[in-house]
Amino acid sequence: MALAANDALPTPVYAVRLASRSSKWEPAGGPLAAAAAPRVAALRTLGVGDELADVAALQVTKGALVATVTYFDPTFHTSG
């Protein structure tokens, strides 16, 4: 069962029975071989901005997480 609703006001909510699928789901593609995986081919600096105040990296099961902290200007305000 699933809940379904439309955009009418007041909004009616319906309980909908979900039919079983006859086929097993398969992904459209498989994992890439290590040689075919994306990699850096070139590195160029396109501009210069504020320096990084801190960088941290953490190895996780399927890759890495990277976090950066830049300088914060408390006097900067956006219009709006």
Side-chain angles (χ1 to χ4, degrees), residues 43-49:
L43 180 63
R44 284 187 257 161
T45 301
L46 300 177
V48 177

Side-chain angles (χ1 to χ4, degrees), residues 15-61:
V16 179
R17 186 175 311 274
L18 299 175
S20 297
R21 291 180 53 145
S22 61
S23 63
K24 178 182 171 190
W25 178 83
E26 293 186 25
L32 295 174
R39 64 190 188 305
V40 175
L43 180 63
R44 284 187 257 161
T45 301
L46 300 177
V48 177
D50 293 333
E51 295 179 7
L52 296 177
D54 194 12
V55 177
L58 172 68
Q59 188 71 36
V60 294
T61 304

Side-chain angles (χ1 to χ4, degrees), residues 49-54 68-76:
D50 293 333
E51 295 179 7
L52 296 177
D54 194 12
T68 62
V69 177
T70 59
Y71 172 74
F72 174 72
D73 183 357
T75 63
F76 178 76

